[in-house]
Amino acid sequence: MESFAHLLDRLVLTPSRNGKIRLLVDYFARTPDPDRGYALAAITRDLDVASVKPAMLRGLMNERMDEVLFKLSYDYVGDLAETIALVWDSEQRTAGQGHDVQPASDKSAADLSLTQIVETLNTLGKTEAMGQVSNWLDQLDASGRYALLKLVTGGMRIGVSARLAKQALSEFGKRYIKIDIIEIEELWHGLEIPYEDLFAWLEGKADKPSHLAAAPFRPAMLANALADSDMRKLDPDHYAAEWKWDGIRVQVTSEGGTRRIYSRTGDDISRSFPDLVEAMDFEGSLDGELLVGRPNNTGEIEIGSFSDLQQRLNRKTVSKKLLVTHPVVVRTYDLLADETTNLRDQSFEMRRGQLEAFAKRLDPTRFDISPLIPLTNWDDLAQLRENLPHPVIEGVMIKRWDSIYVPGRPKGPWFKWKKDPMLIDAVLMYAQRGHGKRSSYYSDYTFGVWTEDDALVPVGKAYFGFTDEELKQIDKFVRDNTVERFGPVRSVKAQRDFGLVLEIAFEGIQRSKRHKSGVAMRFPRISRLRWDKPPHEADSLTSIESLLTP
Amino acid sequence: MRPDQLLHPTPKGLYCPVSDFYIDPVQPVDRALITHGHADHARSGHHSVWATEQTLDIMAIRYGEEFCSERHVANLRETFVLNGVTIGFWPAGHVLGSAQILVEHQGLRIVASGDYKRRRDPSCLSFEPVPCDVFITEATFALPVFRHPDDVGEIQKLLSSVQQFPESAHLVGVYALGKAQRLISLIREAGHNKTIFIHGALKKLCDYYETQGVELGPLSSATLAKGEKGDFAGSIVMGPPSAFTDKWARRFPDPIICFASGWMQVRQRARQRGVELPLILSDHCDWDELLDTILEIKPREVWVTHGRDDALVRWCELNQIKARPLHLVGYEDESE
């Protein structure tokens, strides 16, 4: 348990992706089975153990320790699990026992393994679990107590996505065998905790585990970005064009009674979309875009806005009301399997034909086909891209008619040609120091635009889009023109005739009640530094409101 | 005599009206007794100063030889009489030269402990309990959440990260007086003998510790001449935390920001400061040590100076120990 707890402590505070991967790889290398497998499952949130409610923990603490001292502690720390982890066994002092207290080093914490904890919890009900947790808290040190409490309260927020964990697994495997992360994604849902066969394969001690899962994930085929000039070299006769919808790329698979919705990277997101799962009464596997939408009176599906879709994202549970007001649909791109027939080794042209036939059998309120755009020459397509017919289209896709469906991002067969970003000129207002490598730089910028009474109102934050050289220049500007400091944040001189104008690129702008300005940008980044532009020429709130996504 | 007739808080610091002196005054006064050399306790500009020889040396290093008009060396574990009041200095275990101050008059004994800790520290003398009627304690970490772990484990955290990330420089934020030298000593005890690079702000005090018999091993300046390129990969670099958010830190490859402080016990604190590797290492008592000390000394009354007095006073109440907060101002809560 000690090394798992230590791993969590490090992961939480390590900002860099590569740093996190290194920590995970080292942990997998030095931790035996099945501990490392349970740790992996805890990190990817696939581990399902008897849970303990925060209210029960609070109750337990009130029995054990003076209420005032606990409250002062909790107020200071702000996190229940961490407070309990730290104050545990301090209550013995309040009884005035003083010197009789056993020092922590005498405890047998090292003996308690993560495996023991997980396997015991699996056999217990909720009420028994609480008593057992309390016993373990006595045996663990503060770091171990924190890890245990996070494990049983299900609040393991450590900044590691399942995708990152898989990346670490593939890095770990590369020490012993030739492997691509796609292989892990493909296998993932057929594997069982604690993943002993996976680790044996990665260490070169056993063959690749065989595909056991029903409705497995088929690693997605991705497109390369296309520059305007590239396209002139391509023969339009060889390509199909379609809209690039701005939702969530998904794979919906229903095979032998198992129904799953996968994200692009193979995460099972079925639980968030029960309405869609219910409509998946087919046998096969489809590739498409998940969007919010409902049929209009002609029976065609009308797509909702991106902010409608956001209502449905990152939710563990979905309310009945939301299911009614924000139903999700899939606009299909491709057919990967029809019944039990694999279609991925056929051409896009063949698959598209099959998809059209297949789609006729699908629930028309939940599924339709992403239409093809007639393609005769690139100039016409460029015209279309300039005048996209729907706000939830973010560009066009170009696919070779003869392309087979291969995992990953092969060069050549598929291209995405996104619409140009929106641009505004804004004024730098606040700068915050970065983390890790950037901790000596002011690298996170809040920028604003002018209101009607000539004041600046913040409209967004950006922390990338500039070169290292530009970062140094902005950092110098911030240090030379600081007005006030608030911890790691500085406010910067920003007046009508003096300040730094930033050209901001973004993908769309929406109304937002959470922001003072009333608007929120999607994916803002710095596209240019406008040293040449006086701040009073930057945009106004009125002018950026005219860009609002309908 | 009531205790507060012998010593009571004033805006300038703890004052003794019988003998006319202050303990750790925050403004210039005629006569000052100083517990230790940290800047919020030891200020320049007093007329006469009584302190241990090491504290006087440290004040001279920090403020120049003219930091006061008259210096009086107080020998440890000896008493002397000042205007009819008996005074004595005893080791406090906080930093080199740190002392608790005993003030005794007409049979009433008050000990002002200054800042103190109970852990072993290879860079200074250990705290010695002094029997007294009133014990004046600090409360920097007086909450049940502060339970400093074993030093050896914290040092190991640092050394194994140095091994795990050999291409990085580990930048460890430390307080220039005490924490830096203690951390270096502990790293040496753990068997790490490579050169440790230090920021210019640490140099004089490290040199001084060496003259006092605290061996720190090979140290080298982390500050480079213009145009010079250093090779800091795989090394430990120490400096005041503020230096690591400054342009100064850009010379280091893939830096990993560490901070050695009792505050690092709380994860959110570490996160807010952008610390990647927190080292929980404090020169103050943790909660258990504060309580142990009170139970060991068994004073009739406890006075709490700066820090989290509410929790400590509450604990004293629960244990039928008379206690009061002094609400002294001018001492830094964040003095680590």
Side-chain angles (χ1 to χ4, degrees):
Chain A
M1 190 65 176
E2 203 184 343
S3 65
F4 175 63
H6 183 59
L7 173 71
L8 294 188
D9 282 347
R10 286 299 307 262
L11 285 174
V12 165
L13 294 173
T14 299
S16 107
R17 226 181 131 71
N18 290 338
K20 286 180 194 186
I21 290 177
R22 176 96 55 94
L23 292 166
L24 286 164
V25 169
D26 286 354
Y27 176 81
F28 295 145
R30 58 161 203 271
T31 310
D33 288 320
D35 255 34
R36 58 183 173 182
Y38 285 120
L40 174 62
I43 288 166
T44 58
R45 285 166 287 268
D46 286 313
L47 193 62
D48 198 11
V49 293
S51 67
V52 170
K53 290 257 180 300
M56 291 171 81
L57 290 173
R58 260 180 254 251
L60 177 70
M61 289 319 293
N62 281 342
E63 280 168 31
R64 287 179 69 101
M65 135 173 215
D66 176 54
E67 223 167 308
V68 176
L69 287 177
F70 183 72
K71 188 177 180 309
L72 287 169
S73 300
Y74 186 30
D75 286 351
Y76 182 81
V77 175
D79 178 282
L80 185 67
E82 184 166 10
T83 310
I84 295 174
L86 292 171
V87 302
W88 192 261
D89 80 15
S90 69
E91 80 290 342
Q92 299 174 28
R93 303 303 175 112
T94 55
Q97 291 170 357
H99 295 96
D100 305 331
V101 175
Q102 228 186 357
S105 52
D106 285 2
K107 294 173 182 170
S108 53
D111 302 334
L112 188 61
S113 73
L114 178 62
T115 304
Q116 249 175 296
I117 289 173
V118 172
E119 289 180 353
T120 310
L121 280 174
N122 280 340
T123 65
L124 299 177
K126 273 192 187 179
T127 37
E128 297 161 315
M130 189 64 239
Q132 182 59 63
V133 166
S134 170
N135 281 339
W136 284 328
L137 289 173
D138 283 335
Q139 292 171 53
L140 293 164
D141 67 359
S143 202
R145 290 193 288 261
Y146 179 75
L148 173 65
L149 289 168
K150 286 291 170 185
L151 199 66
V152 297
T153 51
M156 194 83 72
R157 285 199 197 94
I158 47 173
V160 176
S161 63
R163 167 81 181 167
L164 189 72
K166 287 171 204 165
Q167 212 147 19
L169 285 170
S170 106
E171 288 304 317
F172 171 68
K174 277 179 191 155
R175 292 182 172 190
Y176 311 97
I177 58 170
K178 199 175 166 304
I179 182 187
D180 192 309
I181 183 170
I182 288 168
E183 295 178 79
I184 296 174
E185 288 175 350
E186 193 168 14
L187 278 177
W188 188 254
H189 293 282
L191 299 170
E192 273 176 29
I193 299 168
Y195 311 113
E196 288 175 64
D197 48 351
L198 171 71
F199 282 108
W201 167 53
L202 294 176
E203 286 178 327
K205 292 177 185 158
D207 290 340
K208 187 169 167 177
S210 54
H211 228 293
L212 296 172
F217 174 63
R218 296 165 170 87
M221 179 160 173
L222 306 170
N224 288 292
L226 182 73
D228 293 24
S229 53
D230 294 349
M231 174 173 81
R232 306 288 161 187
K233 297 175 215 148
L234 309 176
D235 180 351
D237 287 349
H238 293 155
Y239 290 86
E242 62 184 308
W243 302 119
K244 182 170 181 358
W245 298 92
D246 187 10
I248 309 289
R249 174 88 180 271
V250 289
Q251 190 176 108
V252 288
T253 299
S254 176
E255 286 169 334
T258 302
R259 297 177 181 186
R260 285 187 200 276
I261 305 169
Y262 291 110
S263 74
R264 189 164 70 86
T265 54
D267 294 334
D268 185 345
I269 53 172
S270 317
R271 233 191 292 176
S272 306
F273 306 103
D275 45 345
L276 184 63
V277 171
E278 203 188 307
M280 288 164 58
D281 55 353
F282 55 84
E283 272 302 297
S285 180
L286 290 154
D287 183 349
E289 199 82 10
L290 186 127
L291 298 152
V292 162
R294 60 173 80 246
N296 60 19
N297 39 24
T298 61
E300 279 174 13
I301 292 176
E302 198 87 50
I303 300 298
S305 69
F306 188 81
S307 60
D308 287 338
L309 178 60
Q310 270 179 324
Q311 302 293 317
R312 290 293 304 267
L313 301 183
N314 303 322
R315 281 177 192 275
K316 262 194 197 155
T317 54
V318 201
S319 69
K320 279 199 178 121
K321 188 177 160 224
L322 204 60
L323 290 175
V324 175
T325 56
H326 294 73
V328 292
V329 300
V330 172
R331 190 147 275 186
T332 58
Y333 295 137
D334 218 321
L335 184 62
L336 309 182
D338 182 351
E339 308 263 314
T340 53
T341 314
N342 176 29
L343 299 178
R344 285 179 290 170
D345 48 9
Q346 299 194 23
S347 68
F348 175 68
E349 191 169 13
M350 291 284 293
R351 295 199 306 276
R352 181 78 195 185
Q354 303 250 31
L355 172 65
E356 277 161 23
F358 190 86
K360 293 198 175 97
R361 311 198 295 268
L362 296 171
D363 176 349
T365 66
R366 295 287 180 175
F367 294 92
D368 65 3
I369 300 184
S370 173
L372 292 180
I373 316 166
L375 174 62
T376 48
N377 66 69
W378 297 121
D379 289 332
D380 288 357
L381 189 66
Q383 277 275 315
L384 282 171
R385 175 179 165 271
E386 295 297 316
N387 302 288
L388 297 170
H390 193 285
V392 184
I393 296 175
E394 55 168 351
V396 294
M397 294 291 299
I398 301 161
K399 297 176 177 174
R400 258 192 94 96
W401 283 114
D402 62 2
S403 58
I404 57 166
Y405 195 96
V406 288
R409 208 185 289 277
K411 280 216 165 67
W414 288 12
F415 296 100
K416 56 184 173 187
W417 194 24
K418 283 207 197 180
K419 67 181 172 189
D420 294 327
M422 295 180 181
L423 297 174
I424 58 158
D425 288 327
V427 185
L428 177 65
M429 296 177 70
Y430 303 97
Q432 182 170 0
R433 271 203 313 272
H435 287 282
K437 243 183 211 184
R438 283 178 164 190
S439 53
S440 64
Y441 289 96
Y442 285 87
S443 61
D444 298 12
Y445 310 113
T446 302
F447 46 84
V449 294
W450 298 106
T451 62
E452 275 169 17
D453 22 320
D454 287 346
L456 283 170
V457 59
V459 287
K461 245 182 149 177
Y463 44 92
F464 62 99
F466 37 81
T467 63
D468 287 353
E469 192 44 48
E470 286 172 327
L471 171 61
K472 277 188 194 156
Q473 291 166 8
I474 310 176
D475 180 82
K476 181 166 187 330
F477 178 85
V478 171
R479 288 173 193 269
D480 292 348
N481 295 289
T482 300
V483 179
E484 266 185 288
R485 298 165 191 229
F486 320 90
V489 180
R490 291 186 180 198
S491 72
V492 178
K493 202 168 168 191
Q495 296 159 349
R496 292 196 65 82
D497 54 351
F498 185 89
L500 175 56
V501 177
L502 306 168
E503 184 180 270
I504 307 292
F506 55 99
E507 297 303 310
I509 187 162
Q510 293 159 14
R511 286 257 172 242
S512 160
K513 282 181 202 143
R514 271 191 294 172
H515 298 84
K516 196 176 162 193
S517 61
V519 295
M521 291 176 181
R522 261 189 83 199
F523 201 45
R525 67 265 186 195
I526 299 201
S527 75
R528 261 198 308 168
L529 309 182
R530 298 297 306 266
W531 298 104
D532 55 311
K533 202 163 201 177
H536 64 85
E537 286 180 22
D539 277 286
S540 69
L541 192 55
T542 327
S543 69
I544 73 166
E545 278 171 344
S546 68
L547 301 172
L548 279 168
T549 316
Chain B
M1 172 172 242
R2 287 201 328 265
D4 61 356
Q5 290 174 315
L6 182 57
L7 214 52
H8 61 78
T10 72
K12 288 184 182 176
L14 267 180
Y15 179 63
C16 174
V18 182
S19 171
D20 186 27
F21 64 78
Y22 289 86
I23 295 178
D24 291 352
V26 294
Q27 290 167 35
V29 299
D30 196 33
R31 277 130 50 101
L33 275 54
I34 307 289
T35 59
H36 67 283
H38 278 145
D40 50 336
H41 292 258
R43 295 173 195 248
S44 68
H46 307 307
H47 184 266
S48 304
V49 170
W50 282 260
T52 63
E53 187 161 19
Q54 288 169 332
T55 298
L56 292 170
D57 287 345
I58 288 165
M59 290 176 79
I61 290 170
R62 303 193 118 179
Y63 302 122
E65 294 296 333
E66 305 300 310
F67 72 90
C68 69
S69 311
E70 281 178 28
R71 296 185 206 176
H72 305 270
V73 175
N75 293 323
L76 287 170
R77 307 177 194 93
E78 287 176 14
T79 56
F80 57 93
V81 176
L82 193 62
N83 286 351
V85 172
T86 303
I87 310 289
F89 283 61
W90 267 264
H94 180 54
V95 296
L96 192 65
S98 68
Q100 317 168 64
I101 299 175
L102 166 73
V103 179
E104 183 173 3
H105 188 58
Q106 295 177 359
L108 175 68
R109 288 165 65 91
I110 302 180
V111 168
S113 61
D115 290 338
Y116 67 104
K117 71 169 174 291
R118 304 299 305 267
R119 308 250 163 144
R120 190 188 79 91
D121 179 342
S123 67
C124 71
L125 293 174
S126 295
F127 178 93
E128 292 173 19
V130 181
C132 57
D133 302 294
V134 177
F135 183 65
I136 305 179
T137 182
E138 58 142 324
T140 308
F141 292 111
L143 268 183
V145 293
F146 291 110
R147 329 282 296 281
H148 307 326
D150 187 32
D151 304 343
V152 176
E154 296 304 291
I155 300 300
Q156 217 43 60
K157 267 191 346 200
L158 173 63
L159 295 181
S160 43
S161 182
V162 169
Q163 265 190 347
Q164 199 169 12
F165 295 91
E167 72 284 9
S168 291
H170 281 67
L171 311 188
V172 190
V174 288
Y175 203 68
L177 168 60
K179 187 65 64 62
Q181 297 79 16
R182 175 175 171 215
L183 183 60
I184 295 170
S185 303
L186 290 170
I187 288 173
R188 299 306 184 202
E189 283 186 353
H192 182 91
N193 296 315
K194 286 205 238 166
T195 299
I196 293 174
F197 295 91
I198 55 171
H199 184 272
L202 273 49
K203 183 165 190 319
K204 279 186 184 168
L205 287 164
C206 286
D207 289 347
Y208 177 69
Y209 266 65
E210 293 258 9
T211 67
Q212 300 299 300
V214 180
E215 288 184 20
L216 301 177
L219 303 181
S220 181
S221 169
T223 307
L224 302 171
K226 224 179 165 78
E228 199 184 342
K229 274 225 175 263
D231 181 18
F232 297 108
S235 61
I236 296 173
V237 180
M238 287 187 198
S242 59
F244 298 139
T245 57
D246 193 55
K247 291 183 200 169
W248 181 81
R250 292 183 195 162
R251 66 197 69 196
F252 304 111
D254 288 318
I256 293 181
I257 307 286
C258 321
F259 187 26
S261 160
W263 299 111
M264 291 296 100
Q265 187 112 54
V266 177
R267 284 169 181 77
Q268 196 53 31
R269 280 266 186 162
R271 204 173 311 163
Q272 276 163 356
R273 299 192 65 134
V275 173
E276 289 174 55
L277 183 63
L279 303 170
I280 309 165
L281 197 71
S282 175
D283 285 329
H284 296 269
C285 284
D286 68 4
W287 176 250
D288 297 328
E289 288 160 1
L290 287 168
L291 309 190
D292 279 347
T293 306
I294 292 170
L295 292 170
E296 181 178 355
I297 294 176
K298 296 195 178 68
R300 274 196 288 132
E301 213 172 304
V302 174
W303 292 356
V304 185
T305 58
H306 55 293
R308 267 143 244 294
D309 47 34
D310 41 7
L312 194 56
V313 170
R314 168 74 182 178
W315 178 86
C316 287
E317 279 168 8
L318 290 171
N319 289 274
Q320 283 94 44
I321 298 167
K322 194 171 167 196
R324 63 177 273 223
L326 294 183
H327 301 303
L328 285 179
V329 291
Y331 302 97
E332 287 157 31
D333 184 32
E334 307 281 321
S335 64
E336 284 243 318

